[in-house]
Amino acid sequence: MTTTPEREDIDFPLLRKCPYTPPEEYVKFRETEAPTPGQLYNGRRVWLVTRYEQVRAILGDERFSSDITNPGYPIYAEAFEGSRGFPMLFTMDPPQHTVQRKAVIREFTLRRAEDLRPQMQRKADELIDAMLAEGNSADLVEKFAGPFSGIITCWALGMEYTDMQAWLAGNREVREKAHAVLDTEQVGAEVSMRMMALQEYFLRFIEAKEQDPGDDPMSRVIAQHVTTGTLSRTELANLCFLIFIAGQTPVQAMLTVGVGLLLERPDQLALVRDDPTVLPGTVDEMMRMVSPLDLMARVALEDVEVGGQLIRAGEGLLVANGGANHDPAEFPDPGRLDVRRAARGHLAFGSGIHHCLGANLTRVGLEVAYGTLFRRLPDLRLAVPMEEMYDRPLWHPELQRMPVSW
C-alpha cells in the first residue's frame, strides 16, 4: 500500500464560478491520480475524489459508508451538524437503507413516471399558455421552472402543490439571502429551521393520509408498510422530505441553468427543437454537463487505497460526481455540450445502492419540459446574459430569477 507526497489541504466547500460546470479546480485535481486532501470547517481531514473511475468504484464499495451518524462523515458547516440526528435514505447504510428503499421503490419505477407523462404534458402546456397570455417576456423561474418542478414532485408523493407553495416561496427567500451573503453559519441555521418545519408538515401529511387514504403513492406505502410496522411515521416523513427536496431542487436547476446552457448554444438547441428523438439523450447530456447535485459524502470504514493514496478508517470523502462527469478519460471533450453524446453512464444520479430514487421521474419530467418549452416558444431567448443572473460563485447551480423573452 502506498501514499502520495504531502500536499497542502484545500478548504471546502469549493464554489462554482460558472453555473454550467462544477468548480474549475476539479480540472487541476484530476491531473493527480490520488484524491485531493482538504479540510472542513472544524479542521477535519477530508478527501476529494474527482476521477470517474474512482468515483464510480467508491459509490459501489461497501467499505465506504453513507452513515451520517458516523463521526467521520463529512459535514460542510457547524450549522448542519444537527442533521446527524435525522438520517435519511441517502445518509444511511444497509440494512436500514435496504428496508426504506424497498418500501417506496415501486412508486418510482419508469412505468410510474411514464404514467405521469400526460399530466406533465398538460401542466407544461398550461404554464406556457399562462406565460403567453401575459405578453412576450417572463421570469422563467417564477412562471415555469419553479411550479413545474414543484408540481411533478408533489404528484410523485400524492400531495397538493398548493400545500407547498408557501414553503417554496419562503425557501426562495432563504436562497436569495444565501446568494447575497455567503455566511455559511447564518444561512445554514435558517435552512435547518425550514427543514425542521417541512419534516413536521410531512408528519401531519402522513397522519392525514392514514385517516383518509386515496389512490396515491403515499397512501399505498402507508397501507403496505406503516400500518404493518415496516416503517415508522417518522421514517416515512423523512422519506417524503428527501423525495420532495431531491426531486424539486435539481429539476428546477435543470429548467433554468440547463435552459440557459441550450439557449447559448444555438446549434444544439436546433437539434433539440427539430428532432424530439434526441430528447432522452439531451436530458442525460445536460445532467452530465451541469451535475446539479455535485458532491456525495462518504466515510471509510477501514483503511483503503484509492489512486495510490491511503484513506484511513474514519476519514471522510467528498465524491464529486460533477468532477467525474467532466473527466475526459470517460467523456472526451467534456466541456462541449453534445446532445447526441452517449452520456447515459454519467453519475449525476449517483451510482450503486444510492442511485437516485427519482431518476426516472426527473428524466421524464425534463423530456416533457424541454420538448414543450422549445416547441411552444421557438423564439425563446435570454433577456439578460447568464453572467448577470449568476453573478457570484455559489455552491450549487441555481438561479433565483431568469428573465427571458420570445
Side-chain angles (χ1 to χ4, degrees):
M1 190 170 288
T2 61
T3 59
T4 58
E6 287 295 322
R7 289 169 284 162
E8 183 179 352
D9 287 3
I10 58 173
D11 292 326
F12 288 110
L14 299 171
L15 303 177
R16 291 184 181 223
K17 297 179 176 64
C18 170
Y20 302 150
T21 56
E24 60 187 22
E25 293 91 340
Y26 289 179
V27 176
K28 180 180 67 176
F29 297 158
R30 275 196 306 269
E31 293 174 356
T32 302
E33 182 178 354
T36 302
Q39 63 178 356
L40 300 171
Y41 75 95
N42 54 9
R44 285 187 65 99
R45 165 65 62 85
V46 67
W47 297 94
L48 178 69
V49 186
T50 53
R51 288 193 166 198
Y52 181 93
E53 183 180 2
Q54 293 173 1
V55 168
R56 194 174 192 94
I58 289 170
L59 293 179
D61 192 333
E62 62 184 15
R63 294 175 297 175
F64 296 101
S65 169
S66 299
D67 182 7
I68 197 171
T69 65
N70 187 310
Y73 183 96
I75 299 287
Y76 292 150
E78 186 175 6
F80 297 129
E81 286 290 346
S83 61
R84 292 190 190 276
F86 301 93
M88 290 185 284
L89 194 63
F90 74 101
T91 59
M92 60 178 63
D93 291 337
Q96 186 182 14
H97 171 271
T98 307
V99 172
Q100 293 198 17
R101 189 175 177 93
K102 282 185 176 180
V104 295
I105 191 65
R106 293 176 62 182
E107 300 298 336
F108 292 90
T109 61
L110 179 58
R111 180 178 177 180
R112 293 285 192 194
E114 288 291 351
D115 286 345
L116 286 174
R117 187 184 288 267
Q119 290 175 246
M120 294 181 190
Q121 185 62 65
R122 287 193 294 272
K123 179 51 63 176
D125 282 320
E126 177 185 311
L127 292 170
I128 292 174
D129 286 344
M131 289 168 61
L132 290 169
E134 293 181 5
N136 63 351
S137 64
D139 173 7
L140 197 67
V141 176
E142 178 185 1
K143 298 299 183 179
F144 188 81
F148 186 83
S149 58
I151 286 166
I152 67 171
T153 307
C154 286
W155 286 341
L157 292 168
M159 59 189 294
E160 294 294 330
Y161 177 65
T162 51
D163 291 346
M164 300 308 300
Q165 283 180 301
W167 187 89
L168 287 168
N171 196 51
R172 185 173 177 181
E173 292 178 5
V174 172
R175 289 179 179 275
E176 287 176 346
K177 183 179 293 186
H179 186 80
V181 181
L182 282 174
D183 183 335
T184 302
E185 300 304 324
Q186 176 186 350
V187 173
E190 292 194 38
V191 169
S192 296
M193 289 177 60
R194 293 194 60 75
M195 297 301 99
M196 289 291 292
L198 185 58
Q199 286 176 308
E200 291 172 1
Y201 165 82
F202 280 121
L203 278 172
R204 297 193 299 271
F205 168 71
I206 290 165
E207 291 171 358
K209 285 291 183 185
E210 284 184 291
Q211 296 172 10
D212 185 20
D215 183 17
D216 59 76
M218 287 307 107
S219 291
R220 289 190 289 270
V221 172
I222 289 168
Q224 295 164 8
H225 298 283
V226 175
T227 58
T228 61
T230 306
L231 283 182
S232 69
R233 292 180 182 85
T234 299
E235 288 172 331
L236 184 54
N238 287 344
L239 278 168
C240 289
F241 170 88
L242 172 63
I243 291 164
F244 183 79
I245 297 298
Q248 189 270 337
T249 302
V251 172
Q252 178 169 324
M254 296 306 298
L255 290 180
T256 51
V257 173
V259 167
L261 180 62
L262 276 170
L263 290 178
E264 292 192 339
R265 289 157 178 76
D267 61 325
Q268 297 299 299
L269 178 58
L271 292 173
V272 175
R273 182 183 291 123
D274 299 339
D275 184 3
T277 64
V278 307
L279 280 170
T282 297
V283 169
D284 278 313
E285 172 68 346
M286 301 276 278
M287 290 293 297
R288 179 196 72 81
M289 280 284 289
V290 177
S291 298
L293 300 176
D294 180 21
L295 296 176
M296 294 165 285
R298 296 291 187 270
V299 57
L301 296 179
E302 58 185 78
D303 291 356
V304 185
E305 184 177 340
V306 178
Q309 173 65 54
L310 176 64
I311 310 297
R312 298 192 179 278
E315 289 187 329
L317 298 92
L318 293 174
V319 183
N321 64 50
N325 288 337
H326 284 253
D327 187 342
E330 184 67 24
F331 302 102
D333 195 7
R336 177 176 61 88
L337 178 70
D338 179 4
V339 298
R340 296 191 185 279
R341 186 196 300 266
R344 187 78 174 189
H346 69 81
L347 300 177
F349 292 121
S351 184
I353 64 171
H354 287 90
H355 185 267
C356 178
L357 188 68
N360 292 318
L361 185 72
T362 297
R363 283 192 168 103
V364 173
L366 290 176
E367 284 179 32
V368 170
Y370 288 147
T372 308
L373 193 65
F374 297 124
R375 173 176 52 82
R376 295 285 309 276
L377 300 173
D379 297 321
L380 186 68
R381 57 189 178 275
L382 298 174
V384 299
M386 282 293 291
E387 55 264 27
E388 292 185 20
M389 295 181 243
Y390 196 87
D391 58 1
R392 67 182 300 176
L394 291 173
W395 292 6
H396 299 298
E398 57 186 10
L399 299 176
Q400 301 308 311
R401 290 182 173 80
M402 188 174 186
V404 294
S405 58
W406 54 85

